[in-house]
Amino acid sequence: MSNQPIDLQAALASFTALWSPRIVARVNDYDVRIAKVEGEHLWHAHDDTDEFFLVLDGELAIALRDDDSRTERTVTLPKGAVFVVPRGIEHKPSSPAGASILMFEPTGTLSVGDRHEAVPSHVDATTGHALTGSAPAR
């Protein structure tokens, strides 16, 4: 990890893969990840950690299932909005028109959670990729 400021727009411009987060920084035992998203992710849950989302550009919808898995609701996050999915809650992010997001997750957290449906080919099941080729902030 660089000990220099990171220009998030340059970092986002350095890759094109969707649903494939890049680690831009570490804070204690947490990764700060950015991702480009479009279409649907998959239903999944993180049993031991909350998941923090910040929409940098575009709009992100997060479908949520209550503990009984029968009641669903969707929160819609415009650019600049933040939302925390509580640990153990099944959720499915989506963005029909595309978005750029920033997430905080404990280092080593799998992007598809601890419990999930079948992983479609357009989703990268990863603990995050190293960021390469981005310009430092000026």
Side-chain angles (χ1 to χ4, degrees):
M1 291 277 109
S2 170
N3 195 17
Q4 297 296 318
I6 299 294
D7 179 325
L8 290 180
Q9 292 305 316
L12 285 161
S14 73
F15 66 96
T16 58
L18 298 174
W19 301 110
S20 184
R22 300 303 191 262
I23 301 167
V24 295
R26 289 214 166 92
V27 179
N28 297 316
D29 297 331
Y30 280 74
D31 289 341
V32 179
R33 301 176 184 176
I34 57 171
K36 293 179 179 182
V37 300
E38 188 173 343
E40 295 186 343
H41 196 259
L42 67 139
W43 282 105
H44 67 285
H46 301 275
D47 292 333
D48 299 317
T49 186
D50 300 338
E51 189 170 16
F52 172 93
F53 292 88
L54 164 63
V55 179
L56 300 171
D57 193 34
E59 185 174 271
L60 181 73
I62 304 175
L64 303 158
R65 285 184 180 153
D66 290 335
D67 291 334
D68 63 9
S69 294
R70 285 178 250 174
T71 307
E72 289 183 18
R73 70 182 179 105
T74 299
V75 294
T76 301
L77 309 174
K79 179 180 179 177
V82 299
F83 185 75
V84 175
V85 175
R87 71 189 68 203
I89 298 296
E90 284 186 289
H91 58 287
K92 182 179 185 176
S94 64
S95 181
S100 297
I101 60 175
L102 182 142
M103 300 160 289
F104 281 96
E105 297 181 299
T107 298
T109 299
L110 201 57
S111 61
V112 295
D114 303 304
R115 295 179 283 120
H116 55 82
E117 62 186 4
V119 180
S121 61
H122 71 279
V123 171
D124 184 9
T126 180
T127 57
H129 298 283
L131 183 64
T132 58
S134 68
R138 297 184 199 280

